[in-house]
Coordinates of all heavy atoms in Angstrom, one line a residue:
R1189 N -24.7 -8.3 -18.1 CA -26.0 -7.8 -18.4 C -27.0 -9.1 -18.4 O -28.1 -8.8 -18.1 CB -25.9 -7.2 -19.8 CG -25.4 -5.8 -19.6 CD -25.6 -5.0 -20.9 NE -25.2 -3.7 -20.8 CZ -25.0 -2.9 -21.8 NH1 -25.4 -3.3 -23.0 NH2 -24.5 -1.6 -21.7
K1190 N -26.6 -10.1 -18.9 CA -27.5 -11.3 -19.1 C -27.8 -11.9 -17.7 O -28.8 -12.6 -17.5 CB -26.8 -12.4 -19.9 CG -27.2 -12.3 -21.5 CD -28.7 -12.4 -21.6 CE -28.9 -13.1 -22.9 NZ -30.3 -13.0 -23.4
G1191 N -26.8 -11.8 -16.9 CA -26.9 -12.6 -15.5 C -26.0 -13.6 -15.5 O -26.2 -14.5 -16.4
L1192 N -25.2 -13.9 -14.6 CA -24.3 -14.9 -14.5 C -24.9 -16.2 -14.3 O -24.4 -17.2 -14.9 CB -23.2 -14.4 -13.6 CG -22.5 -13.1 -13.7 CD1 -21.6 -12.9 -12.6 CD2 -21.7 -13.2 -15.0
D1193 N -25.8 -16.2 -13.5 CA -26.5 -17.5 -13.2 C -27.1 -18.2 -14.5 O -27.1 -19.4 -14.6 CB -27.6 -17.4 -12.3 CG -27.0 -16.9 -10.8 OD1 -25.8 -17.2 -10.6 OD2 -27.7 -16.3 -10.0
K1194 N -27.7 -17.3 -15.4 CA -28.3 -17.9 -16.5 C -27.4 -18.5 -17.4 O -27.7 -19.4 -18.3 CB -29.2 -16.7 -17.2 CG -30.4 -16.3 -16.5 CD -31.0 -15.1 -17.2 CE -32.2 -14.6 -16.5 NZ -32.7 -13.5 -17.1
L1195 N -26.1 -17.9 -17.5 CA -25.1 -18.4 -18.4 C -24.3 -19.5 -17.7 O -23.3 -20.0 -18.3 CB -24.2 -17.2 -18.8 CG -24.7 -16.1 -19.5 CD1 -23.8 -15.0 -19.8 CD2 -25.2 -16.7 -20.9
G1196 N -24.6 -19.8 -16.5 CA -23.8 -20.9 -15.8 C -22.4 -20.4 -15.3 O -21.6 -21.3 -15.1
L1197 N -22.3 -19.2 -15.0 CA -21.1 -18.7 -14.6 C -21.2 -18.2 -13.1 O -22.1 -17.8 -12.7 CB -20.6 -17.5 -15.4 CG -20.2 -17.6 -16.9 CD1 -20.1 -16.4 -17.5 CD2 -19.2 -18.6 -17.1
R1198 N -20.1 -18.4 -12.3 CA -20.2 -17.9 -10.9 C -19.6 -16.6 -10.9 O -20.0 -15.8 -9.9 CB -19.3 -18.9 -10.1 CG -19.9 -20.4 -10.1 CD -18.9 -21.2 -9.4 NE -19.6 -21.4 -8.0 CZ -18.9 -22.3 -7.1 NH1 -17.9 -22.8 -7.4 NH2 -19.5 -22.3 -6.0
R1199 N -18.9 -16.2 -11.7 CA -18.3 -14.8 -11.7 C -18.0 -14.4 -13.2 O -17.8 -15.2 -14.0 CB -17.0 -14.7 -10.8 CG -15.9 -15.6 -11.2 CD -14.8 -15.6 -10.3 NE -13.8 -16.6 -10.8 CZ -12.6 -16.7 -10.3 NH1 -12.3 -16.1 -9.3 NH2 -11.9 -17.7 -10.7
P1200 N -17.8 -13.0 -13.5 CA -17.6 -12.7 -14.9 C -16.2 -13.2 -15.3 O -15.3 -13.3 -14.5 CB -17.7 -11.2 -14.8 CG -17.6 -10.9 -13.4 CD -18.0 -12.0 -12.6
P1201 N -16.0 -13.3 -16.7 CA -14.7 -13.8 -17.1 C -13.7 -12.6 -16.8 O -13.9 -11.4 -17.1 CB -14.9 -13.9 -18.6 CG -16.4 -13.9 -18.8 CD -16.9 -13.3 -17.6
L1202 N -12.5 -13.0 -16.3 CA -11.5 -12.0 -16.0 C -10.2 -12.0 -16.8 O -9.2 -11.6 -16.3 CB -11.2 -12.1 -14.4 CG -12.4 -12.0 -13.6 CD1 -12.0 -12.2 -12.1 CD2 -13.0 -10.5 -13.6
F1203 N -10.3 -12.6 -17.9 CA -9.2 -12.7 -18.7 C -8.7 -11.4 -19.3 O -7.6 -11.3 -19.8 CB -9.4 -13.7 -19.9 CG -9.5 -15.1 -19.4 CD1 -10.7 -15.9 -19.5 CD2 -8.4 -15.8 -18.8 CE1 -10.8 -17.1 -19.1 CE2 -8.5 -17.0 -18.4 CZ -9.7 -17.8 -18.5
T1204 N -9.6 -10.5 -19.3 CA -9.2 -9.1 -20.0 C -7.9 -8.5 -19.4 O -7.1 -8.0 -20.1 CB -10.4 -8.2 -19.8 OG1 -11.6 -8.8 -20.3 CG2 -10.2 -6.8 -20.6
S1205 N -7.8 -8.5 -18.2 CA -6.6 -7.9 -17.5 C -5.4 -8.6 -17.9 O -4.3 -8.1 -18.2 CB -6.7 -8.0 -16.0 OG -6.8 -9.2 -15.4
L1206 N -5.4 -9.9 -18.1 CA -4.2 -10.8 -18.4 C -3.9 -10.3 -19.9 O -2.7 -10.2 -20.3 CB -4.6 -12.2 -18.3 CG -3.5 -13.2 -18.6 CD1 -2.2 -12.9 -17.8 CD2 -3.8 -14.6 -18.6
E1207 N -5.0 -10.4 -20.8 CA -4.7 -9.8 -22.1 C -4.2 -8.6 -22.2 O -3.3 -8.2 -23.1 CB -6.1 -10.0 -22.9 CG -6.5 -11.5 -22.9 CD -7.9 -11.6 -23.3 OE1 -8.7 -10.6 -23.4 OE2 -8.4 -12.8 -23.5
C1208 N -4.5 -7.6 -21.3 CA -3.9 -6.3 -21.4 C -2.5 -6.3 -21.0 O -1.7 -5.6 -21.7 CB -4.7 -5.3 -20.4 SG -6.3 -4.9 -21.0
W1209 N -2.1 -7.2 -20.1 CA -0.7 -7.3 -19.9 C 0.1 -7.8 -21.0 O 1.2 -7.4 -21.3 CB -0.5 -8.2 -18.6 CG -0.7 -7.5 -17.3 CD1 -1.9 -7.7 -16.4 CD2 0.1 -6.6 -16.7 NE1 -1.7 -6.9 -15.4 CE2 -0.5 -6.2 -15.5 CE3 1.4 -6.1 -17.0 CZ2 0.1 -5.4 -14.6 CZ3 2.0 -5.2 -16.0 CH2 1.2 -4.8 -15.0
W1210 N -0.5 -8.9 -21.7 CA 0.1 -9.4 -23.0 C 0.3 -8.3 -23.9 O 1.4 -8.2 -24.6 CB -0.7 -10.5 -23.4 CG -0.8 -11.7 -22.7 CD1 0.1 -12.2 -21.7 CD2 -1.8 -12.8 -22.8 NE1 -0.2 -13.4 -21.3 CE2 -1.3 -13.9 -22.0 CE3 -2.9 -13.0 -23.6 CZ2 -2.1 -15.0 -21.7 CZ3 -3.6 -14.2 -23.5 CH2 -3.2 -15.2 -22.5
G1211 N -0.7 -7.5 -24.1 CA -0.6 -6.4 -25.0 C 0.5 -5.3 -24.8 O 1.3 -4.9 -25.6
A1212 N 0.7 -5.0 -23.4 CA 1.8 -4.1 -22.9 C 3.1 -4.8 -23.2 O 4.1 -4.1 -23.6 CB 1.5 -3.8 -21.5
A1213 N 3.3 -6.1 -22.8 CA 4.5 -6.8 -23.0 C 4.8 -6.8 -24.4 O 6.0 -6.6 -24.8 CB 4.4 -8.1 -22.3
F1214 N 3.9 -7.1 -25.3 CA 4.3 -7.3 -26.7 C 4.7 -5.8 -27.2 O 5.6 -5.7 -27.9 CB 3.0 -7.8 -27.5 CG 3.3 -7.8 -28.9 CD1 3.8 -8.9 -29.5 CD2 2.9 -6.8 -29.8 CE1 4.1 -9.2 -30.8 CE2 3.2 -6.9 -31.1 CZ 3.8 -8.2 -31.7
A1215 N 4.0 -4.8 -26.8 CA 4.4 -3.5 -27.3 C 5.7 -3.0 -26.9 O 6.4 -2.4 -27.5 CB 3.3 -2.4 -26.9
L1216 N 6.1 -3.3 -25.6 CA 7.3 -2.8 -25.0 C 8.5 -3.6 -25.3 O 9.6 -3.2 -25.1 CB 7.1 -2.6 -23.6 CG 6.2 -1.6 -23.1 CD1 6.1 -1.5 -21.6 CD2 6.7 -0.2 -23.6

Side-chain angles (χ1 to χ4, degrees):
R1189 284 190 180 168
K1190 269 296 212 195
L1192 301 175
D1193 294 336
K1194 293 178 185 175
L1195 297 174
L1197 299 173
R1198 299 176 98 180
R1199 59 185 175 174
L1202 298 176
F1203 291 111
T1204 307
S1205 61
L1206 183 61
E1207 292 159 359
C1208 288
W1209 281 105
W1210 289 341
F1214 180 84
L1216 291 174

